[in-house]
Amino acid sequence: MMRPDPSINPAMSLGDHASFDPPLDFRRRSLPPGIGRAALSAQLDGDAVSWRVAWQPFSLELERETCLEVMDDKPSPGTVSGSSELLFSFGVIADIQYANLEDGYNYQGNRRRYYRHSLLHLQGAIEHWNKESSPPCCVLQLGDIIDGYNAQYKASEKSLELVMNVFQMLKVPVHHTWGNHEFYNFSRDYLTNSKLNTKFLEDQIEHHPETVPTGSYYAYHFVPFPKFRFILLDSYDLSVLGVDQSSPKYQLCLKMLKEHNPNMELNSPQGLSEPQYVQFNGGFSQEQLNWLNEVLTFSDTNQEKVVIVSHLPIYPKASDTVCLAWNYRDALAVIWSHECVVCFFAGHTHDGGYSEDPFGVHHINVEGVIETAPDSQAFGTVYVYPDKMMLKGRGRVTDRIMNYRKEKPFPFLV
């Protein structure tokens, strides 16, 4: 039986959050041609969000002065915009972080973690999905499938095999995203050749090669139902985790991180004006953002509804600011220049979170299994209708109603 060594912390994070570095030109850059004609400037100040739109050719820039803090009170799950026939459903689960350990606590010592029992929670979720009268088309696993402590005890491969054997009981496909704990246990090369790489489930759009990911990032898209497209993003595409320290990419990402975080301990956000710049986070390369823009452009043209999935959240009002992706503003800039995105699912925070942004995109952070007591649960099923999506949470996962937006965001001012 393994016991956590309190002197060694593989996560090195505040509440086990993760964050990552942005591109060198993070603070000011132009997006590629085709992303839209509007230049959007956003100012986030306290709880107020103000927007101004200036029409300029092929430029879209966001500037943020202060971060929005998550409200203590959970927001209302929403209101139903009407009744309609169920099209399909899908499951969501986040931050399982299994380890054969006795219960422990996070880095701050104030949040209990149920390392061993997380596997029983996963088994319960799979049993539920398998028994549904209309089974989900797939399950989205939002990252951190095993805990970083496994690496300390040289149990990474054994623990991963155990969890993957449980997933094999699932009667539908599972799509895996990668979080910081994947990289505490394995290198990127290892993950690419592992069962956690579900890129073989991707769909390719005929005659549109620009929608095929060509970089080293782990991202893809697929169609679970006609006119609905799901996109998995790699939020550790830019990161110092899981990368060969002698590689140019590691040196570039380390330079990015240190430019924004002067602390000796790079996992500490102390004193940072942008607290997401910590080692346990990561970011999206410009190459990946360009690819995302191409896929969303196709979805706009073909009137598809899009669900985006990432381990790291990107919207301040739905997350603790320490948990955000390094260059979350760049990702928002791409998403907000399109009309097709319905929601953005993430994990990482363990507490969960929700907010609808001014452009009608729903940001849902799913509560983590690892901090869920044995007498509760933490997973959900999303039911998809022609006019909305409805998240039915189990245990401490909150129910949500995500109505589709009815108006185009441009050129209206919010």
Side-chain angles (χ1 to χ4, degrees):
M1 179 183 299
M2 297 188 298
R3 294 175 180 270
D5 183 346
S7 67
I8 304 176
N9 175 37
M12 293 296 291
S13 63
L14 301 178
D16 203 298
H17 305 319
S19 109
F20 62 96
D21 296 334
L24 285 174
D25 56 354
F26 168 71
R27 285 164 294 185
R28 190 174 186 83
R29 67 170 180 81
S30 293
L31 290 170
I35 198 169
R37 294 188 176 183
L40 172 68
S41 178
Q43 182 178 20
L44 306 175
D45 185 10
D47 288 334
V49 182
S50 60
W51 307 90
R52 60 183 184 275
V53 177
W55 296 99
Q56 297 174 0
F58 310 127
S59 173
L60 195 156
E61 177 188 316
L62 287 98
E63 295 178 355
R64 185 206 66 172
E65 303 215 344
T66 57
C67 290
L68 288 168
E69 298 295 337
V70 173
M71 307 287 278
D72 289 335
D73 296 331
K74 288 189 176 181
S76 166
T79 56
V80 182
S81 64
S83 60
S84 51
E85 181 181 358
L86 176 67
L87 300 178
F88 69 100
S89 65
F90 61 94
V92 290
I93 192 167
D95 298 275
I96 299 166
Q97 288 183 223
Y98 169 76
N100 186 22
L101 294 169
E102 293 183 355
D103 295 350
Y105 290 87
N106 65 335
Y107 184 58
Q108 294 170 304
N110 59 357
R111 291 162 62 165
R112 191 162 186 168
R113 294 189 172 174
Y114 305 89
Y115 296 103
R116 189 176 293 114
H117 200 90
S118 65
L119 197 64
L120 297 179
H121 282 319
L122 174 61
Q123 290 173 343
I126 290 174
E127 289 173 3
H128 174 87
W129 286 318
N130 284 343
K131 291 178 181 177
E132 286 208 33
S133 56
S134 296
C137 69
C138 65
V139 169
L140 306 177
Q141 190 275 114
L142 302 177
D144 284 3
I145 195 170
I146 64 174
D147 194 84
Y149 271 122
N150 287 289
Q152 175 185 331
Y153 294 102
K154 302 186 185 305
S156 299
E157 292 187 353
K158 182 178 180 180
S159 291
L160 179 60
E161 182 180 8
L162 187 60
V163 177
M164 296 304 285
N165 285 341
V166 174
F167 266 113
Q168 284 186 342
M169 299 189 308
L170 187 63
K171 296 179 181 179
V172 300
V174 56
H175 296 263
H176 295 288
T177 58
W178 298 348
N180 49 313
H181 281 263
E182 275 76 14
F183 293 110
Y184 296 149
N185 284 283
F186 307 109
S187 69
R188 179 170 286 270
D189 288 342
Y190 182 98
L191 291 171
T192 300
N193 295 292
S194 75
K195 293 180 180 179
L196 287 178
N197 183 347
T198 47
K199 201 171 181 180
F200 67 92
L201 296 171
E202 71 179 338
D203 285 324
Q204 294 192 1
I205 303 173
E206 191 174 0
H207 306 307
H208 287 272
E210 72 280 2
T211 64
V212 178
T214 57
S216 60
Y217 52 89
Y218 171 64
Y220 64 94
H221 56 87
F222 66 98
V223 177
F225 191 87
K227 294 298 183 179
F228 287 85
R229 188 171 302 278
F230 286 20
I231 302 174
L232 274 72
L233 295 181
D234 184 351
S235 55
Y236 287 84
D237 184 10
L238 297 177
S239 173
V240 296
L241 302 178
V243 185
D244 184 350
Q245 295 187 10
S246 64
S247 68
K249 185 170 185 178
Y250 175 87
Q251 297 300 325
L252 175 65
C253 292
L254 183 63
K255 182 175 182 289
M256 293 176 187
L257 179 58
K258 289 186 173 181
E259 284 178 349
H260 294 87
N261 186 342
N263 295 327
M264 289 292 293
E265 173 50 69
L266 290 175
N267 279 299
S268 172
Q270 183 176 359
L272 301 185
S273 60
E274 294 184 291
Q276 76 272 17
Y277 283 99
V278 284
Q279 183 170 286
F280 52 82
N281 289 343
F284 310 98
S285 68
Q286 185 62 54
E287 184 179 19
Q288 185 179 179
L289 293 175
N290 292 348
W291 168 78
L292 173 62
N293 179 60
E294 295 291 354
V295 177
L296 295 181
T297 298
F298 177 88
S299 292
D300 277 345
T301 302
N302 290 274
Q303 298 182 328
E304 296 178 335
K305 302 293 185 187
V306 172
V307 172
I308 300 180
V309 180
S310 163
H311 181 65
L312 296 177
I314 62 169
Y315 190 56
K317 251 196 163 179
S319 170
D320 184 330
T321 53
V322 177
C323 301
L324 296 167
W326 282 344
N327 56 338
Y328 69 88
R329 287 174 285 180
D330 290 346
L332 286 173
V334 175
I335 291 170
W336 286 345
S337 69
H338 296 276
E339 301 174 11
C340 55
V341 180
V342 174
C343 54
F344 189 106
F345 279 94
H348 194 51
T349 66
H350 296 184
D351 284 335
Y354 169 82
S355 184
E356 180 181 354
D357 69 34
F359 288 76
V361 178
H362 303 270
H363 297 263
I364 305 98
N365 300 338
V366 178
E367 288 81 352
V369 172
I370 182 62
E371 293 182 9
T372 302
D375 61 352
S376 185
Q377 251 299 1
F379 70 94
T381 303
V382 181
Y383 299 93
V384 181
Y385 298 87
D387 59 343
K388 62 182 173 291
M389 296 184 184
M390 300 179 65
L391 168 61
K392 175 60 179 177
R394 303 292 172 176
R396 67 194 196 99
V397 173
T398 305
D399 293 350
R400 307 286 181 193
I401 297 174
M402 293 86 76
N403 292 315
Y404 305 155
R405 58 188 178 189
K406 293 183 172 62
E407 295 181 349
K408 298 179 180 180
F410 291 119
F412 303 106
L413 297 178
V414 178

